[in-house]
Amino acid sequence: MARKQAKKRKQKKARKVTLPKLPVAKLLGVSAAALVILLSYEFSAKLLDRPIRAITVEAPFQRVSALQIEEAISDELGRGFLSANLSVIQQHIVALPWIDKANVARRWPDSLEITATEQIPAACWGESGLLNTRGELFVTEARHIPAELPRLSGPPERSGEVALRYLDVRENLIPAGLDVRRIHLDNRGAWDMTLSNGVHVRLGRREVAERTKLFLDVVANIVSSREGEIDFVDMRYSNGFTIGWNGDTPAPPEEPQETEEEMVAGRIAE
């Protein structure tokens, strides 16, 4: 009996489930409604995408004029109020020399509002370059270099590193009443700097971070208290430093080779 029941179960056919068919008229109606909505949207967009009739520019206008900004974005202005690509407009404005940041917004019904900020030069790079407050080279051939700016120089690919060292040293020198006038990194990797009072500081190529810290922690106070008497400071020793007084013979240009007896705690040459 069990075998006969099993055979009967196998002989049963699978049932087909048929979904109800939507009437063709109903499908056409849905498609037509969707098409009407799409066409209405496009028609409304075209009505709203009117020509840009005015732009408002808020900027310091010390180095860049509103006319320069308008000329830089003229191609995008012809696309219409909605079609204009605000990101592209912003990129064109920031690409202008001396522009640091820019923000662009639509103002109904047919104008754009532009806010721009100019770069703030923090230092001169080489002969005619300018670095901003973040140490970025934003102008390579400046027509006018403010005399009060510090002078930084070195290999072009290391401009950011030189700028960061300048900012760090300056921040720590100001409490001692000192400032930096020049920092130079030569092709061999040797650092030297000149303070605002004319004192020349040699840091060399090795252990530059440690030597800079020693100068800031110890030597800066000596330089500040004996201003006008000191010609140079040589930090190119692993265990100390040398101070050269005005009238002394300058130290040799090569990095000195100290002995065990000298520079244990810092030798001041008088």
Side-chain angles (χ1 to χ4, degrees):
M1 283 293 291
R3 290 182 180 178
K4 290 181 179 181
Q5 290 178 356
K7 288 181 179 180
K8 288 181 180 180
R9 290 195 191 102
K10 291 181 181 180
Q11 290 175 356
K12 289 182 179 180
K13 295 182 180 180
R15 293 181 180 179
K16 293 182 179 180
V17 178
T18 304
L19 296 176
K21 295 183 179 180
L22 292 175
V24 176
K26 191 171 184 179
L27 286 175
L28 292 175
V30 172
S31 301
L35 182 61
V36 169
I37 293 173
L38 179 61
L39 292 175
S40 300
Y41 173 79
E42 291 183 355
F43 181 73
S44 300
K46 288 181 179 180
L47 287 178
L48 296 175
D49 196 18
R50 58 189 65 192
I52 298 174
R53 301 188 183 281
I55 60 171
T56 303
V57 181
E58 296 182 8
F61 296 125
Q62 295 181 2
R63 304 284 183 175
V64 183
S65 67
L67 181 60
Q68 288 176 293
I69 293 176
E70 185 175 354
E71 289 177 350
I73 63 176
S74 58
D75 291 342
E76 285 297 319
L77 293 180
R79 295 181 181 276
F81 180 71
L82 294 179
S83 299
N85 191 321
L86 300 189
S87 297
V88 173
I89 292 176
Q90 183 183 34
Q91 291 171 11
H92 287 328
I93 297 173
V94 174
L96 290 171
W98 286 93
I99 291 294
D100 187 15
K101 298 177 182 179
N103 183 62
V104 185
R106 292 184 177 88
R107 292 292 177 261
W108 180 260
D110 54 8
S111 64
L112 296 181
E113 184 178 279
I114 299 171
T115 304
T117 56
E118 291 185 350
Q119 297 275 9
I120 299 175
C124 171
W125 177 258
E127 294 297 324
S128 56
L130 290 173
L131 299 172
N132 60 21
T133 54
R134 298 184 297 276
E136 300 166 343
L137 183 64
F138 68 93
V139 171
T140 56
E141 296 292 336
R143 296 181 181 179
H144 172 68
I145 302 293
E148 69 274 10
L149 290 181
R151 302 278 174 154
L152 310 183
S153 56
E157 68 275 8
R158 301 183 69 178
S159 61
E161 181 182 354
V162 177
L164 290 177
R165 186 170 298 280
Y166 159 72
L167 294 172
D168 180 64
V169 170
R170 185 174 188 269
E171 181 181 357
N172 287 278
L173 278 180
I174 289 178
L178 300 172
D179 206 345
V180 183
R181 185 168 67 192
R182 185 186 69 88
I183 289 184
H184 176 66
L185 172 64
D186 67 20
N187 292 327
R188 300 179 306 115
W191 295 80
D192 65 83
M193 59 185 180
T194 304
L195 305 185
S196 56
N197 57 11
V199 175
H200 185 62
V201 182
R202 302 181 179 106
L203 295 169
R205 292 175 293 170
R206 298 186 292 271
E207 301 176 347
V208 177
E210 292 78 2
R211 293 174 182 179
T212 303
K213 187 176 187 306
L214 177 62
F215 174 79
L216 295 172
D217 292 345
V218 178
V219 188
N221 291 325
I222 300 174
V223 174
S224 180
S225 62
R226 306 292 291 272
E227 188 171 0
E229 302 176 44
I230 298 173
D231 179 34
F232 69 87
V233 177
D234 199 334
M235 304 297 300
R236 298 177 295 174
Y237 299 90
S238 59
N239 297 316
F241 56 88
T242 293
I243 292 181
W245 303 94
N246 285 323
D248 287 350
T249 302
E254 295 298 328
E255 199 145 345
Q257 301 294 325
E258 77 254 37
T259 63
E260 294 181 359
E261 291 81 12
E262 68 182 342
M263 310 307 295
V264 174
R267 178 173 60 83
I268 301 179
E270 297 190 65

